[in-house]
Amino acid sequence: MSGTYYTDYMDPTDPTAATDRGDPREMRGIRESRETRDDVERTFAAPAPPRGRGFAHTWWGKAWLKALEETALDGAPLATGRRHAREGAVGAVTVRPGRITAVVQDRDGTAYRSDVLLQRLSEEEWDRFLDMAVDRAGHIAALLDREMPPHLVEDAAAAGVELLPGIGDLEPECGCEAWDHCAHSAALCYQMARLLDQDPFVLLLIRGRSERRLLDELHVRSVARASRAGGARAGGTEEETPDAEAAASEAAGVDAVTAFAARDILPPLPAPPPVPREPGQPPALDAETDPSLTAGPSSGADGPPEMDADVLEFLATDAAARALRMLSDALAPDHEQQPPEAELTLRQDTARLAAATSDTRLLARLAAGTGRQRAELDLAVRAWRLGGAAALAVLEDDWTPELEALARARAALDTAWEDGDRPLLRAMGAGRWSVADASAQLRYGRDGRWWPYRKERGRWAPAGPAAHDPAAALADALDEG
């Protein structure tokens, strides 16, 4: 390839241009090598010879080649062009509005600058395309994923904008002075189909808009439309906003799919604020309250329940603590990979609340709210503090475990003590074994763990945390210390 000819094609002062001056067959991969400062031109390094039979794999890349093959009057130059492209004879490809350019080398080493022209869209056509894209943010999301869905082209055509070329739209200009598509322009078109496969935004650049400019203009239109919709919702008159009804409809919201699709054309969200070290204090609610209004849960048999300032303050404090915990969890790494927490039942949430207070009046109200005696609530609080919802279920729920799990536990207990020291166990129901002549009991939970219990004042009470080894749990239950 002659240096003089290459000077006509690339600026020799461009430091990145030197990387494109070698033998095109030594280039490997489709990679962008140069982008001008104003983002109206992109240059791609000479692509490696294609593997496989076809040059285009996407439907839009094949549509590009169809326009070429249906335009050419002679099939022989196309066959030679395909061979040139497969042999790596196409140099770096420069794409700018209305034109693509590359140097193509014949087998004898002669190099020709070849151009293929495609008409740019007019300003009016771009206005129609942008309006259509703002209405259907999913189209732009697909482009950002380097996809061109058929309905994007169909919607653009419905708006009077033809994105893909048709018969006769690809106009060749080549240094070999052929009047129709020659082997050099054909080779360039075949390589161009590979670039379009990789990035359909290249097609929009040929039509006149770079990716950056396109997204900027979409952002401006989206903001303007949102402002008009906000004005209509704020009370603009029909004369002030002719499209007020449509804007008000848009202001009512969009579906989640559309909102997610617009994520890349909207400004980024601000960084989340730092997480507080501790929850804030709730406001004091009883500073000017008549003490008679907080004496009980209701004002009478037929009257509405009275407001209890102490209860509200307690619930507000609890809500603030839970909100802080949820916020900390949400900002933790890999939070999206964690399963959601199960929603608590009324009895579970009451035990959780009771575990957070020592106010006897509040505890009495919590017990009454779930039909528990105060002693029963105290046991529920003890279980909750030992193991949350799992421990509470062992205290209050009856269930039938698998016989295999009970048999394994029996075998583990038989080998944990010497024959003379082994406690005598009696079955007290499914998954519950009590020790004869001792106030100790084992309970099997749904989570596969064993819980120690001890009889206190005629009630079985949780005696410690759970253990996977039933012998260890039984030792805790027998430990009077």
mmCIF file of all heavy atoms in Angstrom, residues 456-475:
data_model
loop_
_atom_site.group_PDB
_atom_site.id
_atom_site.type_symbol
_atom_site.label_atom_id
_atom_site.label_comp_id
_atom_site.label_asym_id
_atom_site.label_seq_id
_atom_site.Cartn_x
_atom_site.Cartn_y
_atom_site.Cartn_z
ATOM 1 N N GLU A 456 -40.499 -24.653 84.429
ATOM 2 C CA GLU A 456 -40.423 -23.579 85.423
ATOM 3 C C GLU A 456 -41.843 -23.194 85.814
ATOM 4 O O GLU A 456 -42.627 -22.801 84.952
ATOM 5 C CB GLU A 456 -39.690 -22.360 84.854
ATOM 6 C CG GLU A 456 -38.254 -22.618 84.441
ATOM 7 C CD GLU A 456 -37.603 -21.401 83.796
ATOM 8 O OE1 GLU A 456 -38.299 -20.353 83.719
ATOM 9 O OE2 GLU A 456 -36.445 -21.483 83.367
ATOM 10 N N ARG A 457 -42.166 -23.354 87.087
ATOM 11 C CA ARG A 457 -43.473 -22.973 87.613
ATOM 12 C C ARG A 457 -44.594 -23.641 86.819
ATOM 13 O O ARG A 457 -45.621 -23.037 86.511
ATOM 14 C CB ARG A 457 -43.653 -21.460 87.606
ATOM 15 C CG ARG A 457 -42.615 -20.720 88.442
ATOM 16 C CD ARG A 457 -42.800 -19.215 88.334
ATOM 17 N NE ARG A 457 -41.759 -18.500 89.068
ATOM 18 C CZ ARG A 457 -41.639 -17.186 89.096
ATOM 19 N NH1 ARG A 457 -42.501 -16.439 88.411
ATOM 20 N NH2 ARG A 457 -40.681 -16.630 89.791
ATOM 21 N N GLY A 458 -44.362 -24.879 86.512
ATOM 22 C CA GLY A 458 -45.386 -25.670 85.837
ATOM 23 C C GLY A 458 -45.470 -25.463 84.333
ATOM 24 O O GLY A 458 -46.348 -26.041 83.695
ATOM 25 N N ARG A 459 -44.565 -24.655 83.733
ATOM 26 C CA ARG A 459 -44.584 -24.428 82.289
ATOM 27 C C ARG A 459 -43.224 -24.789 81.686
ATOM 28 O O ARG A 459 -42.187 -24.570 82.306
ATOM 29 C CB ARG A 459 -44.883 -22.957 81.962
ATOM 30 C CG ARG A 459 -46.256 -22.476 82.380
ATOM 31 C CD ARG A 459 -46.394 -20.983 82.082
ATOM 32 N NE ARG A 459 -47.681 -20.455 82.486
ATOM 33 C CZ ARG A 459 -48.766 -20.406 81.719
ATOM 34 N NH1 ARG A 459 -48.708 -20.865 80.483
ATOM 35 N NH2 ARG A 459 -49.890 -19.892 82.166
ATOM 36 N N TRP A 460 -43.276 -25.360 80.476
ATOM 37 C CA TRP A 460 -42.033 -25.630 79.763
ATOM 38 C C TRP A 460 -41.538 -24.328 79.150
ATOM 39 O O TRP A 460 -42.258 -23.658 78.417
ATOM 40 C CB TRP A 460 -42.235 -26.671 78.670
ATOM 41 C CG TRP A 460 -42.439 -28.065 79.201
ATOM 42 C CD1 TRP A 460 -43.584 -28.789 79.201
ATOM 43 C CD2 TRP A 460 -41.440 -28.884 79.802
ATOM 44 N NE1 TRP A 460 -43.392 -30.012 79.763
ATOM 45 C CE2 TRP A 460 -42.065 -30.112 80.149
ATOM 46 C CE3 TRP A 460 -40.085 -28.733 80.095
ATOM 47 C CZ2 TRP A 460 -41.397 -31.149 80.764
ATOM 48 C CZ3 TRP A 460 -39.417 -29.767 80.704
ATOM 49 C CH2 TRP A 460 -40.063 -30.966 81.035
ATOM 50 N N ALA A 461 -40.270 -23.994 79.480
ATOM 51 C CA ALA A 461 -39.694 -22.720 79.048
ATOM 52 C C ALA A 461 -38.399 -22.967 78.294
ATOM 53 O O ALA A 461 -37.658 -23.902 78.606
ATOM 54 C CB ALA A 461 -39.424 -21.816 80.258
ATOM 55 N N PRO A 462 -38.103 -22.157 77.284
ATOM 56 C CA PRO A 462 -36.823 -22.279 76.573
ATOM 57 C C PRO A 462 -35.660 -22.106 77.541
ATOM 58 O O PRO A 462 -35.653 -21.193 78.380
ATOM 59 C CB PRO A 462 -36.865 -21.145 75.543
ATOM 60 C CG PRO A 462 -38.315 -20.797 75.401
ATOM 61 C CD PRO A 462 -38.935 -21.058 76.727
ATOM 62 N N ALA A 463 -34.669 -23.002 77.430
ATOM 63 C CA ALA A 463 -33.551 -22.987 78.378
ATOM 64 C C ALA A 463 -32.233 -22.607 77.718
ATOM 65 O O ALA A 463 -31.208 -22.572 78.405
ATOM 66 C CB ALA A 463 -33.419 -24.358 79.036
ATOM 67 N N GLY A 464 -32.212 -22.337 76.430
ATOM 68 C CA GLY A 464 -30.954 -21.983 75.790
ATOM 69 C C GLY A 464 -31.091 -22.009 74.276
ATOM 70 O O GLY A 464 -32.148 -22.336 73.733
ATOM 71 N N PRO A 465 -30.007 -21.687 73.601
ATOM 72 C CA PRO A 465 -30.054 -21.675 72.137
ATOM 73 C C PRO A 465 -30.114 -23.085 71.569
ATOM 74 O O PRO A 465 -29.856 -24.073 72.260
ATOM 75 C CB PRO A 465 -28.741 -20.979 71.750
ATOM 76 C CG PRO A 465 -27.824 -21.231 72.909
ATOM 77 C CD PRO A 465 -28.686 -21.248 74.124
ATOM 78 N N ALA A 466 -30.441 -23.168 70.275
ATOM 79 C CA ALA A 466 -30.585 -24.463 69.622
ATOM 80 C C ALA A 466 -29.224 -25.054 69.299
ATOM 81 O O ALA A 466 -28.199 -24.367 69.272
ATOM 82 C CB ALA A 466 -31.401 -24.306 68.338
ATOM 83 N N ALA A 467 -29.223 -26.379 69.049
ATOM 84 C CA ALA A 467 -28.011 -27.092 68.659
ATOM 85 C C ALA A 467 -28.390 -28.154 67.636
ATOM 86 O O ALA A 467 -29.489 -28.718 67.690
ATOM 87 C CB ALA A 467 -27.335 -27.726 69.867
ATOM 88 N N HIS A 468 -27.482 -28.420 66.696
ATOM 89 C CA HIS A 468 -27.725 -29.499 65.745
ATOM 90 C C HIS A 468 -27.550 -30.869 66.400
ATOM 91 O O HIS A 468 -28.140 -31.841 65.933
ATOM 92 C CB HIS A 468 -26.778 -29.365 64.550
ATOM 93 C CG HIS A 468 -27.096 -28.202 63.659
ATOM 94 N ND1 HIS A 468 -28.154 -28.216 62.782
ATOM 95 C CD2 HIS A 468 -26.494 -26.985 63.533
ATOM 96 C CE1 HIS A 468 -28.205 -27.053 62.133
ATOM 97 N NE2 HIS A 468 -27.209 -26.296 62.566
ATOM 98 N N ASP A 469 -26.756 -30.929 67.453
ATOM 99 C CA ASP A 469 -26.531 -32.182 68.170
ATOM 100 C C ASP A 469 -27.555 -32.296 69.297
ATOM 101 O O ASP A 469 -27.565 -31.478 70.216
ATOM 102 C CB ASP A 469 -25.111 -32.192 68.749
ATOM 103 C CG ASP A 469 -24.792 -33.496 69.478
ATOM 104 O OD1 ASP A 469 -25.635 -34.414 69.447
ATOM 105 O OD2 ASP A 469 -23.715 -33.584 70.075
ATOM 106 N N PRO A 470 -28.445 -33.293 69.269
ATOM 107 C CA PRO A 470 -29.448 -33.403 70.334
ATOM 108 C C PRO A 470 -28.834 -33.639 71.709
ATOM 109 O O PRO A 470 -29.395 -33.211 72.717
ATOM 110 C CB PRO A 470 -30.322 -34.573 69.875
ATOM 111 C CG PRO A 470 -29.468 -35.357 68.947
ATOM 112 C CD PRO A 470 -28.590 -34.374 68.266
ATOM 113 N N ALA A 471 -27.697 -34.331 71.766
ATOM 114 C CA ALA A 471 -27.052 -34.569 73.056
ATOM 115 C C ALA A 471 -26.576 -33.269 73.687
ATOM 116 O O ALA A 471 -26.697 -33.063 74.895
ATOM 117 C CB ALA A 471 -25.885 -35.541 72.880
ATOM 118 N N ALA A 472 -26.045 -32.335 72.856
ATOM 119 C CA ALA A 472 -25.599 -31.048 73.386
ATOM 120 C C ALA A 472 -26.781 -30.236 73.895
ATOM 121 O O ALA A 472 -26.703 -29.590 74.947
ATOM 122 C CB ALA A 472 -24.849 -30.277 72.300
ATOM 123 N N ALA A 473 -27.891 -30.258 73.153
ATOM 124 C CA ALA A 473 -29.077 -29.529 73.600
ATOM 125 C C ALA A 473 -29.620 -30.127 74.890
ATOM 126 O O ALA A 473 -30.049 -29.396 75.797
ATOM 127 C CB ALA A 473 -30.138 -29.547 72.516
ATOM 128 N N LEU A 474 -29.610 -31.454 75.016
ATOM 129 C CA LEU A 474 -30.104 -32.092 76.235
ATOM 130 C C LEU A 474 -29.208 -31.772 77.416
ATOM 131 O O LEU A 474 -29.690 -31.577 78.544
ATOM 132 C CB LEU A 474 -30.197 -33.608 76.020
ATOM 133 C CG LEU A 474 -30.759 -34.399 77.187
ATOM 134 C CD1 LEU A 474 -32.165 -33.907 77.558
ATOM 135 C CD2 LEU A 474 -30.805 -35.885 76.857
ATOM 136 N N ALA A 475 -27.895 -31.685 77.191
ATOM 137 C CA ALA A 475 -26.991 -31.315 78.273
ATOM 138 C C ALA A 475 -27.297 -29.913 78.772
ATOM 139 O O ALA A 475 -27.246 -29.662 79.986
ATOM 140 C CB ALA A 475 -25.556 -31.410 77.790
#
